[in-house]
Amino acid sequence: MPMMSRRHLMLAATGAAAIAAAPRFAFAQAAAPAAATPFVLPPLTYPVAALEPHIDAKTMEIHHGKHHAAFIGNLNTFAKDNPTIATMSPVEVLGKLGDVPEAIRTGIRNNMGGHANHSMFWQIMGPNGGKPEGEVLAAIDRDLGGMEKFTTDFNAAGGRQFGSGWVFVTVDKAGKLAIETRPNQDNPAMDGKRALMGNDVWEHAYYLNYQNRRADYLKAWWNTVNWKVIGERYAAAKAGTLGV
Ligand SMILES: [Fe+2]
């Protein structure tokens, strides 16, 4: 995405050594001239109806075009006075929330978390998503007890999450997987992990079609999962290059 490109340009301009020597980022200072709206809604790579009947087109349209877009709009508002947030990747910002000025910290936590979570979510879904294979399947067998236990445990965790939040499969640098939930729009990057994949259990993700039947949504959602992308994300996580 454009933001990542700018980050790479910034790294190239300043040098990785300089970044490594500055463990705390100066959020209150403008690091570079910023675009008026540096955050951009990542487009869906498939039509909004592509996940039907499991996720209906109207839900996708509102979820992506209104909910995710609202996070983008809010981040662009924050970036006017705090342009540094747009020069770092979302996972870097979320990993250093303590460095964000207190006045905007909750807003950045919610909106950058929402941007990161939803960017992941659109990526790991798609039509004709295939089946898990290769290294990621081996990791599921090793760490999560195989596909049947994994899907049962994942759905149970998503069902137990009280109120709004997410159920994730987190991955650490060694490639170890774990099922973990987070409230609100919190993201595993906030505690140094990465989301390999995850399901949104906010009511806005399913209410039009499933109403209060979250368990039915959790079960049907597996039909939308894009295992090719998740396999690629697993390889990137092990290489240390997985972003959102
Ligand atoms: Fe959502």
Side-chain angles (χ1 to χ4, degrees):
M1 64 179 69
M3 190 168 51
M4 292 297 286
S5 303
R6 270 194 306 284
R7 165 83 177 136
H8 290 148
L9 285 171
M10 190 175 108
L11 274 174
T14 57
I19 295 292
R24 289 177 67 86
F25 289 84
F27 272 90
Q29 298 174 3
T37 54
F39 291 93
V40 177
L41 180 65
L44 291 177
T45 57
Y46 41 82
V48 290
L51 307 180
E52 288 192 343
H54 314 294
I55 301 179
D56 62 284
K58 191 71 175 174
T59 294
M60 287 296 291
E61 198 179 308
I62 295 171
H63 199 174
H64 178 260
K66 303 293 184 188
H67 288 278
H68 193 168
F71 297 128
I72 298 296
N74 291 336
L75 288 172
N76 281 324
T77 299
F78 283 122
K80 284 179 189 166
D81 292 329
N82 300 272
T84 305
I85 64 165
T87 66
M88 299 165 67
S89 74
V91 291
E92 284 176 299
V93 174
L94 291 169
K96 292 179 177 289
L97 278 177
D99 292 355
V100 176
E102 197 173 351
I104 64 166
R105 193 175 300 150
T106 299
I108 296 299
R109 176 179 188 154
N110 292 340
N111 288 282
M112 195 70 87
H115 177 35
N117 287 339
H118 289 84
S119 297
M120 173 277 296
F121 192 53
W122 313 130
Q123 281 179 42
I124 60 102
M125 296 192 295
N128 310 311
K131 300 220 175 290
E133 54 188 30
E135 285 200 13
V136 74
L137 178 59
I140 288 168
D141 288 342
R142 182 191 65 219
D143 299 332
L144 304 178
M147 278 302 291
E148 190 174 339
K149 184 175 186 330
F150 162 40
T151 52
T152 299
D153 291 350
F154 185 94
N155 291 354
R160 279 195 305 269
Q161 173 58 38
F162 182 75
S164 300
W166 289 76
V167 53
F168 295 103
V169 174
T170 60
V171 56
D172 68 14
K173 285 175 185 166
K176 183 170 172 47
L177 305 182
I179 296 170
E180 299 186 48
T181 56
R182 295 289 188 279
N184 305 314
Q185 293 296 349
D186 286 357
N187 179 282
M190 289 163 52
D191 42 83
K193 299 173 185 170
R194 290 288 181 275
L196 174 67
M197 60 186 288
N199 195 359
D200 187 344
V201 296
W202 284 63
E203 284 187 341
H204 67 229
Y206 61 87
Y207 204 84
L208 290 182
N209 196 23
Y210 295 91
Q211 291 84 48
N212 63 323
R213 292 174 286 113
R214 186 191 286 184
D216 291 350
Y217 159 69
L218 281 159
K219 193 173 172 188
W221 176 78
W222 290 96
N223 293 295
T224 72
V225 171
N226 186 334
W227 285 105
K228 180 172 182 295
V229 168
I230 291 170
E232 292 165 0
R233 289 175 63 84
Y234 186 69
K238 288 182 74 175
T241 59
L242 181 61
V244 295

